[in-house]
Amino acid sequence: MKAKGVGGGNTITGLNFEKERDILEILKKAKDYSVKGSVIYYRGKEVARSYRKQGLYKLLLERKINWHKLVSKRLFPDEALYVIVNNTLFIIEMKFQKVAGSVDEKLQTCDFKKKQYRKLMAPLNIEVEYVYILNDWFKNPAYKDTLDYVISVGCQYYFNYLPLQKIGLPVPR
């Protein structure tokens, strides 16, 4: 990024969550990306769709999949990005803390939740990945074991940033 943010949209390799929390709003500002409704375009070509919160269940309903038969309780992701090129639904949970609290234990639930989302997406043959976007609060050494656990169960985390390449979205040149 250049000084004072000028031209930064030309050099992004990922999404920065330090000032903004809405992935679609961040993508709208990124070079070569556009967003119409929940559809994400890169250079005019559809590359992904957003299914945040209840949107995921609307997708299942459209595909005539009864979630009740797959899981006993609905989960509502902060963001669920279906990336077309890798046929993967990225469940993206954002945790921005300023004090210790219940989120500490929520981080340890990613394995269970990832499995639940896999059950939901199995009839569609869509892969599922689970990603946390964390703020600097979680850089505290007290979270080392928890973050090690997140990785050990196949989930991912990033601090204030989501690399586009990691989720299969094009990186603007």
Side-chain angles (χ1 to χ4, degrees):
M1 177 179 280
K2 296 178 183 176
K4 297 183 181 178
V6 176
N10 296 331
T11 59
I12 71 162
T13 57
L15 305 177
N16 188 331
F17 292 88
E18 288 184 22
K19 294 180 181 173
E20 182 78 49
R21 303 280 195 269
D22 186 324
I23 287 176
L24 297 180
E25 290 300 317
I26 295 171
L27 282 168
K28 283 179 185 175
K29 298 172 189 169
K31 181 183 178 193
D32 295 329
Y33 277 93
S34 61
V35 176
K36 292 179 185 163
S38 62
V39 182
I40 300 161
Y41 298 90
Y42 180 77
R43 295 182 176 173
K45 181 181 176 189
E46 182 179 343
V47 292
R49 288 184 177 247
S50 168
Y51 297 102
R52 62 180 62 158
K53 303 291 181 188
Q54 294 90 349
L56 188 60
Y57 298 93
K58 291 177 184 171
L59 166 69
L60 295 171
L61 186 61
E62 290 170 5
R63 304 283 180 96
K64 303 189 183 325
I65 295 171
N66 184 348
W67 68 266
H68 289 95
K69 292 181 179 178
L70 303 171
V71 297
S72 60
K73 186 177 179 182
R74 291 193 296 178
L75 300 170
F76 298 101
D78 289 340
E79 182 61 71
L81 278 184
Y82 172 65
V83 178
I84 295 168
V85 70
N86 56 20
N87 191 37
T88 301
L89 183 73
F90 290 87
I91 303 297
I92 301 170
E93 294 292 337
M94 297 175 212
K95 305 296 180 200
F96 297 92
Q97 290 293 110
K98 293 183 179 176
V99 295
S102 63
V103 73
D104 292 10
E105 293 174 5
K106 289 179 181 174
L107 291 176
Q108 301 164 22
T109 64
C110 67
D111 184 42
F112 172 76
K113 291 177 180 174
K114 184 176 179 179
K115 289 175 180 171
Q116 293 297 91
Y117 287 115
R118 280 184 169 164
K119 288 180 188 176
L120 290 171
M121 294 297 111
L124 300 173
N125 291 320
I126 294 175
E127 298 294 320
V128 174
E129 293 295 333
Y130 202 94
V131 180
Y132 285 117
I133 305 298
L134 307 172
N135 70 349
D136 290 342
W137 171 264
F138 297 98
K139 289 181 178 178
N140 183 316
Y143 292 99
K144 183 187 180 316
D145 290 343
T146 300
L147 296 177
D148 287 349
Y149 174 77
V150 167
I151 296 298
S152 75
V153 294
C155 299
Q156 305 168 48
Y157 68 89
Y158 298 95
F159 292 109
N160 301 307
Y161 190 76
L162 180 60
L164 291 169
Q165 186 180 19
K166 287 287 185 181
I167 62 171
L169 288 178
V171 176
R173 296 182 188 165

